[in-house]
Coordinates of all heavy atoms in Angstrom, one line a residue:
L41 N -5.5 -1.0 2.8 CA -4.3 -0.5 3.4 C -4.1 1.0 3.2 O -3.7 1.8 4.0 CB -3.1 -1.2 2.9 CG -3.0 -2.7 3.4 CD1 -1.8 -3.4 2.6 CD2 -2.7 -2.7 4.8
L42 N -4.5 1.5 2.0 CA -4.5 2.9 1.7 C -5.4 3.7 2.7 O -5.0 4.8 3.2 CB -4.8 3.2 0.2 CG -3.8 2.9 -0.8 CD1 -4.3 3.1 -2.2 CD2 -2.5 3.7 -0.6
D43 N -6.6 3.2 2.8 CA -7.5 3.8 3.8 C -7.0 3.8 5.2 O -7.2 4.8 5.9 CB -8.9 3.1 3.7 CG -9.6 3.3 2.3 OD1 -9.2 4.2 1.6 OD2 -10.5 2.5 2.0
D44 N -6.5 2.7 5.6 CA -5.9 2.6 7.0 C -4.7 3.6 7.1 O -4.6 4.3 8.1 CB -5.4 1.2 7.2 CG -6.5 0.2 7.4 OD1 -7.7 0.6 7.5 OD2 -6.2 -1.0 7.4
N45 N -3.9 3.7 6.1 CA -2.8 4.6 6.1 C -3.2 6.1 6.2 O -2.7 6.8 7.1 CB -1.9 4.4 4.9 CG -0.7 5.2 4.9 OD1 0.0 5.4 6.0 ND2 -0.3 5.8 3.8
E46 N -4.3 6.4 5.5 CA -4.8 7.8 5.5 C -5.4 8.1 6.9 O -5.2 9.1 7.5 CB -5.9 7.9 4.4 CG -6.4 9.3 4.4 CD -7.4 9.5 3.3 OE1 -7.4 8.7 2.3 OE2 -8.2 10.5 3.3
S47 N -6.1 7.1 7.4 CA -6.7 7.3 8.8 C -5.6 7.4 9.8 O -5.7 8.3 10.7 CB -7.6 6.0 9.1 OG -8.0 6.1 10.4
L48 N -4.6 6.7 9.7 CA -3.5 6.7 10.7 C -2.7 8.1 10.6 O -2.3 8.7 11.6 CB -2.5 5.6 10.6 CG -3.0 4.2 11.0 CD1 -2.1 3.1 10.6 CD2 -3.3 4.2 12.5
L49 N -2.5 8.5 9.3 CA -1.9 9.8 9.1 C -2.7 11.0 9.7 O -2.2 11.9 10.4 CB -1.6 10.1 7.6 CG -0.5 9.2 7.0 CD1 -0.5 9.5 5.5 CD2 0.8 9.6 7.7
N50 N -4.0 10.9 9.6 CA -4.9 11.9 10.2 C -4.8 11.9 11.7 O -4.7 12.9 12.3 CB -6.4 11.7 9.7 CG -6.6 12.1 8.3 OD1 -5.8 12.8 7.7 ND2 -7.6 11.5 7.7
A51 N -4.8 10.7 12.3 CA -4.7 10.5 13.7 C -3.3 11.1 14.2 O -3.3 11.8 15.2 CB -4.9 9.1 14.1
K52 N -2.3 10.8 13.4 CA -1.0 11.3 13.8 C -0.9 12.8 13.8 O -0.4 13.5 14.7 CB 0.0 10.7 12.8 CG 1.5 11.2 13.1 CD 2.4 10.8 12.0 CE 3.7 11.5 12.1 NZ 4.3 11.9 10.8
T53 N -1.5 13.4 12.8 CA -1.6 14.9 12.7 C -2.3 15.5 13.9 O -1.8 16.5 14.5 CB -2.3 15.3 11.3 OG1 -1.5 14.7 10.3 CG2 -2.3 16.8 11.2
K54 N -3.4 14.9 14.2 CA -4.2 15.4 15.4 C -3.4 15.3 16.6 O -3.4 16.2 17.5 CB -5.5 14.6 15.5 CG -6.5 14.9 14.5 CD -7.8 14.1 14.7 CE -8.8 14.4 13.5 NZ -10.0 13.6 13.7
L55 N -2.7 14.2 16.8 CA -1.9 13.9 18.0 C -0.7 14.9 18.1 O -0.4 15.4 19.1 CB -1.4 12.5 18.1 CG -2.5 11.5 18.4 CD1 -1.9 10.0 18.3 CD2 -3.0 11.7 19.8
E56 N -0.1 15.2 16.9 CA 1.0 16.2 16.9 C 0.5 17.6 17.3 O 1.2 18.3 18.0 CB 1.7 16.2 15.5 CG 2.5 15.0 15.2 CD 3.1 14.9 13.8 OE1 2.5 15.6 12.9 OE2 4.1 14.2 13.6
N57 N -0.7 17.9 16.8 CA -1.2 19.2 17.1 C -1.6 19.3 18.6 O -1.3 20.3 19.2 CB -2.5 19.5 16.3 CG -2.2 19.7 14.8 OD1 -1.1 20.1 14.5 ND2 -3.2 19.6 13.9
S58 N -2.1 18.2 19.1 CA -2.4 18.2 20.6 C -1.1 18.3 21.4 O -1.1 18.9 22.4 CB -3.1 16.8 20.9 OG -3.3 16.7 22.3
L59 N -0.1 17.6 20.9 CA 1.2 17.7 21.6 C 1.8 19.1 21.6 O 2.3 19.6 22.6 CB 2.2 16.7 20.9 CG 3.7 16.8 21.5 CD1 3.7 16.4 23.0 CD2 4.6 15.9 20.7
K60 N 1.7 19.8 20.5 CA 2.1 21.2 20.4 C 1.4 22.1 21.4 O 2.0 22.9 22.0 CB 2.0 21.7 19.0 CG 3.0 21.1 18.0 CD 2.7 21.7 16.6 CE 3.7 21.0 15.6 NZ 3.4 21.4 14.2
E61 N 0.1 21.8 21.4 CA -0.8 22.6 22.3 C -0.4 22.4 23.7 O -0.3 23.3 24.5 CB -2.3 22.3 22.1 CG -3.2 23.1 22.8 CD -4.7 22.8 22.5 OE1 -5.0 22.5 21.4 OE2 -5.5 22.9 23.5
L62 N -0.2 21.1 24.1 CA 0.2 20.8 25.5 C 1.5 21.3 25.8 O 1.8 21.8 26.9 CB 0.2 19.2 25.7 CG -1.3 18.6 25.7 CD1 -1.1 17.1 25.7 CD2 -2.0 19.1 26.9

Side-chain angles (χ1 to χ4, degrees):
L41 289 172
L42 285 177
D43 293 343
D44 290 347
N45 186 38
E46 184 177 339
S47 173
L48 290 171
L49 287 174
N50 289 337
K52 177 186 170 223
T53 302
K54 287 179 183 177
L55 289 171
E56 285 175 341
N57 291 338
S58 178
L59 176 63
K60 287 178 186 177
E61 186 178 325
L62 287 172

